[in-house]
Structures are given as C-alpha cells and as structure tokens.
Amino acid sequence: MVTSSRVRIAVLNILIFIVAGMKVGYAQVPVTTWHYDNEHSGANLNETILTPQNVNNTSFGKLFTQPVDDAVIGQALYLPHVTIPKLGVHNVVYVATMNDSVYAFDADSAAGKNNKPLWQTSFLSKGVTPVPISLQKCGGTTQWSQVGIVSTPVIDPASGTLFVVAKTYEQHTSYVHRLHALDVATGREKAGSPIVITASYLFAGVNNVFADMMQVNRPALLLANGYLYIAFGSNGCRGGQEQGWVLSYSASTLALQGAWDDEPSSSGSAVWQRGGGLSADSAGNVYGATADGPFTAGTNFGESVFKLSQVGSTLQLDDWFTPYNEADLNSHDQDMSEPVLVLPDQSGPNPHLAAAVGKEGTIYLLNRDNIGHFCSTCTQGDTQIVQELPAFAPETGALIYWNNMIYTSANSSPIMALPLANGALGNIPVAQSKKSSSGHSPVISSNGTSSGVLWQLNGQTLTAYDATSLATLYASGQDQGGRDLLPPLPHFANILVANGKVYIGTNNSLVVFGLL
C-alpha cells in the first residue's frame, strides 16, 4: 500500500511538472504601452502562435468584431488572466474612444456572454460631451467628428491601473482635460482620480499657461520610473494658441511633477508624433519630437528632437537636436512627425543611440549622450550627429527595430529593412517589400529572433509580411466572400498583436484577427 501511494505521488509530481512546463511554454505576456516597450521598438518578441507559416489567407482571418461608440484612435492594450468581478478570469483587451469611453473586452471571444464588454466606463454626463470638431477645428486634416480620448492609454500592471487622458466640453463654455486612473478589473476610478490637468511654464519672466481649447493629447501616454508623461499639441493644424507641452505626474498620487513648454511665448511645434508615445531609455530620460513651428536655438524648438529628465518635481530639458534646414522644413510643413526610437546599446564609439525621422523622410541617427543641438554653419547635412540618411523614407510610419534592423514604411514605397551594425545604419536594404500604400505605423511579432511577421495597414487592408524577407504572407480582402474586409479606419490607426491575435481599432469597432 505504501509503495502504491509513493507511485501515485511520483506520477502526480510528473504530471504537475509537465503542466507547469506547458504553462511556461505558452505564457501570455501583457502589452501595457504603445509599441510594446518604452523604447518603442514596435516589436513583440513573445508571439509563439502566429508565424510566417500559418499567417495566410487559408488559415488566418477575421474572427470577430466588438462594436464601440466612436472611433478608436489609440492602440489597444492587453492583460492576461484578469479576474473580473462576477465574470471570472479573462484575457482582456482595452480600448478607448473619441466618445470618451473606455472598454474592456474578452480578448479571445465574442461568443455567449462575451458578446458585450466586460465593463465600459464613460466620462460623459449631463452637460459634458466630447469636443465637437466644429469647435476643435482642423477636422479637414484628421476627419474626426469630435475629440474625446485620442491617445493610447498606459497600464501599470503592478497596481492594476489603466491611465487615460480624456478631453471634454462642459456646460457649453469650457474645455477640460482630465487624467483618469481606472481599476483594470472594474473600470472604476481609483482613489484621487480623476484630476483636472492644469499647468504653467515660467520662461524669461513670462508665465505661459496651458490652454485647453487648442491642446490635444495625441501621443500615447508613457509610464517610466513611477512617473506618467503626457504630451500635447494641436489637432492637426496650427491655430495660433497651441504649444507643444510635456507634463509629468506621479503615478501613485497623480500630483503634477513638472511641465515643459517647447514654444514659450509663441505657438506651433505640437508634440503629436503620429499618435506614437514619448520614449524613455533605461535611465528614465524622456525623448520626443516636435512639429513645424518657430525655432530659436535653446528657446523655441520647432522641428526638433528633445531629451528631458526628471529631477524631483521638475521636468527639465537636458539636450536637443534641430536639423540644419529647419527653416525650409517649417515653410513646407515637414514636421518631425514620428516618435523617437531608442535603440539597444551598440558596439563602436557611440553605444547609446536613438533614431528620429520626419515627414521629409530624413533618418537621423543620434547619440543620446550628445544629441547635437543645431549646426548654424551646415549647408548640406548635419555633420554634428552620428549619421544622416537624407530624404530616405518620406511620410514613413514610426520606425521599428527588430533583429539588428530598422524598418521604414514610407508612403507609396516599399517597406524596407535597414541593417544596424556597430552603431551605423546601412542605406542599402537587406530586404524590401513590394510597393505599399502605408500611412500607418507597422509592428512586428516574433518568437524572439525567429518567426517574425511584420504587420501593416495599407489603406483599408491589413497586410502581413515575413519580417526577414518582407515577402507578402497575407492581405485582408483577398479571401472569398469578403470575410476579412475591414470597416473604415481612423486617421493613423494602430495595430496590436498579442497571444495569437491581431487587434485593430476602427471608426466604430474593435476588429480581431487570428487563426481560423
């Protein structure tokens, strides 16, 4: 009898070991910020389900759609194994809309009880609405009908908090921005939430006050070292009042911890970055880029890359770079329009690099320890920075990094993979796709350094490419019967790939693709 018991225990231990190993092998990884990490690599290295072998028009396609109350502009976020009160444990995908709503959906199914949100939180009430585009202006650029929640939220998984910024129009008179801290399991406001966003910036004896009417929080929120960073600019055109702002808040208390204005006593230079977030390196330094606007060296930062640091409750400018031809860029509306890509440490003389690019398409490789400021004597290029590829990728989406390659996605051009080695960027692609319409920012999913798939929205089409060869694997709408057709997409839509599924926010829904 003793021997039999020992045998049963041994067998049970073996089974536990096998099951535990299965759980490790198929571990689901949360996606809590825009483009997967604070460096904004755009690469999910933990995708073990979707591969170049199974992403095709036969085995991959649209699985289900969840309706929402307006356009989803920001990227969806993902948390596995969330206990929802009275509804059990779910893998959850979170989206926010221009109607000032936040939704939590089951990430894997819309069947049965999952055909409706796990929870929905609205920030509207009597006399409180999103801002009508007739008042916000610039609707011809973005085609938005109203402005509510524009940016991608950010999640602190340790505290189970989703942070989101909402803009409202209240009592037909006032414009208000609020920072909300929501419980990821219930959608309820946490203690001390929300807070009304206000700020001022004293420069040269002038107190510049944050003006809610023109400001729009387009860049994704950034959470780094216990601080929330929120950037602002215009809706899509210059209206005479907007300035580029970066505000810092304590993630634990929601207390303001610093403000920086990139155009004090002037206007323009929005921080919008195609909706991509401010970036951060491992030391907590924060990086961003500005739109067209006035430039005065060291004071006004139109067409610039900036580096900020947090010193106590002060947000200070540490370094900056402005292209030599900023005046020409400004006169032709050629913003520094993309988020800054913070690169892994490199061998060679410049180990700490970042890459930036604007509408003109020039790629700037910058030394994060000495970004470069402004070369007033340069006439053909910026000789003070690490490297420059002039007009290489016009109107590209965000740069992304995978396997020692930087990927560009210039509009009406091939997607290209440029080699990065010893701190230098090659100008001859190691791979490129067929010509694509692009316009949005791509992402890559992979299992570490293998099985990479690059995902891009080409107009109204979701396209998947082998990330190594950039050969096309899949394009929605090529199936029989229109199974995979996408509904209309918003201006600069975003893609999330997580745990074997692809999530896309549209003008009225969240659409989910995966293996059929």
Side-chain angles (χ1 to χ4, degrees), residues 373-415:
H373 286 199
F374 177 69
C375 179
S376 60
T377 60
C378 293
T379 58
Q380 299 297 319
D382 293 287
T383 58
Q384 80 281 22
I385 66 174
V386 175
Q387 191 180 358
E388 189 168 286
L389 301 184
F392 193 88
E395 296 285 352
T396 184
L399 301 175
I400 57 176
Y401 174 85
W402 182 70
N403 268 14
N404 301 314
M405 291 180 286
I406 291 178
Y407 291 77
T408 66
S409 53
N411 197 17
S412 300
S413 301
I415 296 171

Side-chain angles (χ1 to χ4, degrees), residues 37-42 278-283 285-288 339-346 351-356 366 368 399-401 406 420:
D37 48 51
N38 282 354
E39 296 80 12
H40 296 329
S41 67
L278 298 170
S279 310
D281 61 22
S282 59
N285 299 304
V286 175
Y287 302 84
V340 177
L341 172 62
V342 175
L343 294 164
D345 286 357
Q346 302 289 306
H352 305 137
L353 296 178
L366 305 173
R368 301 199 315 267
L399 301 175
I400 57 176
Y401 174 85
I406 291 178
L420 181 67

Side-chain angles (χ1 to χ4, degrees), residues 119-400:
W119 56 256
Q120 177 188 356
T121 296
S122 172
F123 303 134
L124 306 181
S125 58
K126 185 176 181 181
V128 178
T129 69
V131 181
I133 203 65
S134 59
L135 298 178
Q136 184 66 67
K137 309 297 184 184
C138 305
T141 302
T142 61
Q143 300 300 308
W144 298 338
S145 61
Q146 58 184 5
V147 171
I149 302 170
V150 185
S151 68
T152 302
V154 69
I155 293 174
D156 177 9
S159 65
T161 306
L162 182 147
F163 298 98
V164 60
V165 171
K167 186 172 186 178
T168 51
Y169 183 56
E170 306 191 0
Q171 310 309 322
H172 305 289
T173 58
S174 59
Y175 304 81
V176 182
H177 286 91
R178 287 185 176 86
L179 171 60
H180 299 263
L182 305 182
D183 187 304
V184 296
T186 65
R188 298 191 185 103
E189 301 274 6
K190 291 204 164 185
S193 172
I195 58 108
V196 174
I197 291 175
T198 61
S200 61
Y201 183 71
L202 185 65
F203 187 85
V206 177
N207 191 37
N208 296 267
V209 178
F210 182 85
D212 285 279
M213 178 181 176
M214 284 301 298
Q215 300 297 153
V216 176
N217 165 227
R218 292 180 72 178
L221 305 192
L222 170 69
L223 177 61
N225 294 341
Y227 294 92
L228 281 166
Y229 295 97
I230 308 170
F232 293 86
S234 71
N235 182 42
C237 60
R238 291 168 66 172
Q241 296 181 40
E242 79 285 348
Q243 297 169 323
W245 286 82
V246 179
L247 307 182
S248 170
Y249 287 87
S250 165
S252 59
T253 67
L254 302 188
L256 184 65
Q257 298 294 300
W260 181 69
D261 180 354
D262 69 14
E263 288 283 29
S265 301
S266 187
S267 67
S269 297
V271 184
W272 66 282
Q273 303 186 157
R274 200 179 292 253
L278 298 170
S279 310
D281 61 22
S282 59
N285 299 304
V286 175
Y287 302 84
T290 69
D292 52 338
F295 170 73
T296 304
T299 302
N300 297 95
F301 293 96
E303 306 287 0
S304 300
V305 173
F306 57 83
K307 174 184 177 181
L308 306 176
S309 65
Q310 187 77 48
V311 181
S313 59
T314 301
L315 189 60
Q316 67 180 31
L317 177 69
D318 273 2
D319 205 352
W320 53 275
F321 161 72
T322 306
Y324 79 98
N325 59 337
E326 58 80 22
D328 183 68
L329 297 177
N330 183 36
S331 65
H332 290 91
D333 187 31
Q334 297 293 295
D335 308 2
M336 293 291 285
S337 55
E338 306 306 319
V340 177
L341 172 62
V342 175
L343 294 164
D345 286 357
Q346 302 289 306
S347 58
N350 300 298
H352 305 137
L353 296 178
V357 64
K359 290 181 182 178
E360 183 195 36
T362 297
I363 300 176
Y364 306 93
L365 201 61
L366 305 173
N367 177 3
R368 301 199 315 267
D369 300 323
N370 181 12
I371 293 181
H373 286 199
F374 177 69
C375 179
S376 60
T377 60
C378 293
T379 58
Q380 299 297 319
D382 293 287
T383 58
Q384 80 281 22
I385 66 174
V386 175
Q387 191 180 358
E388 189 168 286
L389 301 184
F392 193 88
E395 296 285 352
T396 184
L399 301 175
I400 57 176

Side-chain angles (χ1 to χ4, degrees), residues 62-79:
K62 188 193 297 184
L63 299 179
F64 60 91
T65 298
Q66 291 281 21
V68 297
D69 60 13
D70 202 1
V72 177
I73 308 298
Q75 177 196 289
L77 300 175
Y78 175 89
L79 286 180

